[in-house]
């Protein structure tokens, strides 16, 4: 596996005017309309919206390193997907279009629970980094093939643990450390790790139960934040089937290419073929309907 060593301060994204991107705060935002060269700049701008005082140079270096850790050869699990999930989280947390009067999204049956600006920042950062350095194959392949990452993480949430590690390795780089200035680093680290680990599909049931239990207004606020946070990040990660059809179909096309490529690889290596990844027995339509009805719809 690669280590998070890519990127340098000389490669920081150029500042960008977010007003030039229509619907950035809405569910209709089209990440495919953003040129490849503008993706890092838009990611940095999105992160600054809730923390305008963040060290711009450190944030730029961080986004640059993260963007270069994503593998552009992956049809689906690439930096554009990370930005798409980050934008979905921003839309979840803001609950409004940019430019509207100040409003705060509230959650729970009591209707008074909201995330702080730093918590929204953590959510957007989680979205951006949740698949960083993804190798283009899933946990099943890594475990069955005896991949070093599976050995490192004892076959448990292999990719998710690696993504969280890679995120924090970058955040600890000297040129990126300013991103953490002014934050409660221990609380921020706990949130971001929890958010990334919640994207493990094996934990879908547990994450959903946490969301369902969120309405217990008597629980301590830190517990409620963690319950909500994991649910938000996981929901954003699986949200593209709920996007407008043109966007949803494009993401479905891309993930199908990646899934079937993994299935071909598993067959060629004599490994068990992961569910939904055998092009001979699975179809894009069937996988999409099953994924949407069983995993996305409950949210």
């Amino acid at each position: 596996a690669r280590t998070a060593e890519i990127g340098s301060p000389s490669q920081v994204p150029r500042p960008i005017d977010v007003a030039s991107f229509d619907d950035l705060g809405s569910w209709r935002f089209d990440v495919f309309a953003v040129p490849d060269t503008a993706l890092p700049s838009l990611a940095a701008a999105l992160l600054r919206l809730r923390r305008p005082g963040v060290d711009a140079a450190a944030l730029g270096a961080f986004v640059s390193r993260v963007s270069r850790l994503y593998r552009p050869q992956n049809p689906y699990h690439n930096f554009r997907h990370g930005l798409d999930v980050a934008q979905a989280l921003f839309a979840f947390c803001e609950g409004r279009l940019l430019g509207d009067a100040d409003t705060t999204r509230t959650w729970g049956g009591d209707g008074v629970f909201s995330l702080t600006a730093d918590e929204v920042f953590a959510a957007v950062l989680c979205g951006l980094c949740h698949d960083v350095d993804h190798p283009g194959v899933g946990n099943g392949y890594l475990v069955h093939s005896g991949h070093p990452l599976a050995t490192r993480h004892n076959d448990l949430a292999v990719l998710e643990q690696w993504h969280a590690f890679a995120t924090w390795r970058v955040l600890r780089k000297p040129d990126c450390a300013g991103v953490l200035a002014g934050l409660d680093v221990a609380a921020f680290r706990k949130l971001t790790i929890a958010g990334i680990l919640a994207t493990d599909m094996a934990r879908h049931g547990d994450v959903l139960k946490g969301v369902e239990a969120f309405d217990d207004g008597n629980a301590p606020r830190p517990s409620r934040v963690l319950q909500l946070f994991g649910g938000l990040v996981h929901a954003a990660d699986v949200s593209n089937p709920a996007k407008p059809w043109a966007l949803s179909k494009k993401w479905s096309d891309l993930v199908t290419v990646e899934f079937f490529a993994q299935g071909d690889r598993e067959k060629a290596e004599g490994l068990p073929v992961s569910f939904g990844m055998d092009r001979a027995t699975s179809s894009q339509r069937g996988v999409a309907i099953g994924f949407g009805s069983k995993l996305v719809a409950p949210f």
Side-chain angles (χ1 to χ4, degrees), residues 38 59 70 96 102 117 123 151 157 162 190 193 201 214 220-221 238 251 258:
L59 183 66
Y70 272 96
R96 62 181 174 86
D102 285 343
T151 302
W162 178 249
K190 187 174 184 177
I193 291 174
M201 291 306 301
F214 174 75
R221 188 180 190 282
V238 301
W251 283 120
E258 194 168 297

Side-chain angles (χ1 to χ4, degrees), residues 86-144:
Q87 186 277 330
L89 278 158
F90 180 76
F92 283 170
C93 295
E94 292 295 279
R96 62 181 174 86
L97 298 179
L98 294 178
D100 287 352
D102 285 343
T103 57
T104 301
R105 169 66 67 86
T106 58
W107 308 88
D110 48 24
V112 296
F113 188 92
S114 62
L115 296 176
T116 68
D118 287 351
E119 288 163 352
V120 174
F121 178 75
V124 175
L125 186 141
C126 267
L128 186 67
C129 299
H130 79 284
D131 274 330
V132 66
D133 199 26
H134 195 292
V137 292
N139 285 335
Y141 173 83
L142 298 176
V143 170
H144 292 139

Side-chain angles (χ1 to χ4, degrees), residues 160-246:
E160 293 72 27
Q161 293 200 66
W162 178 249
H163 302 322
F165 165 79
T167 298
W168 273 90
R169 185 171 180 127
V170 174
L171 281 169
R172 298 294 194 188
K173 293 291 182 184
D175 59 318
C176 302
V179 172
L180 301 174
L183 293 171
D184 180 337
V185 176
F188 186 78
R189 177 171 164 80
K190 187 174 184 177
L191 270 183
T192 53
I193 291 174
I196 293 173
L197 293 182
T199 64
D200 179 10
M201 291 306 301
R203 291 192 56 211
H204 174 78
D206 291 337
V207 172
L208 192 58
K209 288 178 182 177
V211 173
E212 292 168 345
F214 174 75
D215 276 343
D216 178 8
N218 295 319
R221 188 180 190 282
S223 298
R224 296 191 79 193
V225 170
L226 282 174
Q227 287 174 331
L228 177 62
F229 204 83
L232 286 174
V233 178
H234 179 49
D237 186 29
V238 301
S239 68
N240 57 63
K243 296 285 183 73
W245 169 248

Side-chain angles (χ1 to χ4, degrees), residues 47-63:
L47 285 163
R48 277 197 298 270
L49 286 172
R50 288 302 263 154
R51 286 197 77 218
V54 66
D55 185 317
L59 183 66
F62 172 75
V63 170

Side-chain angles (χ1 to χ4, degrees), residues 10-72:
S10 64
Q11 300 167 322
V12 297
R14 294 180 179 180
I16 197 168
D17 180 11
V18 295
S20 63
F21 292 91
D22 293 337
D23 297 330
L24 184 59
S26 86
W27 202 238
R28 299 183 301 274
F29 179 71
D30 183 2
V31 73
F32 293 107
V34 183
D36 289 347
T37 54
L39 291 173
S41 296
L42 185 57
L46 190 63
L47 285 163
R48 277 197 298 270
L49 286 172
R50 288 302 263 154
R51 286 197 77 218
V54 66
D55 185 317
L59 183 66
F62 172 75
V63 170
S64 176
R65 288 183 181 273
V66 168
S67 69
R68 284 166 172 77
L69 278 171
Y70 272 96
R71 307 186 188 192

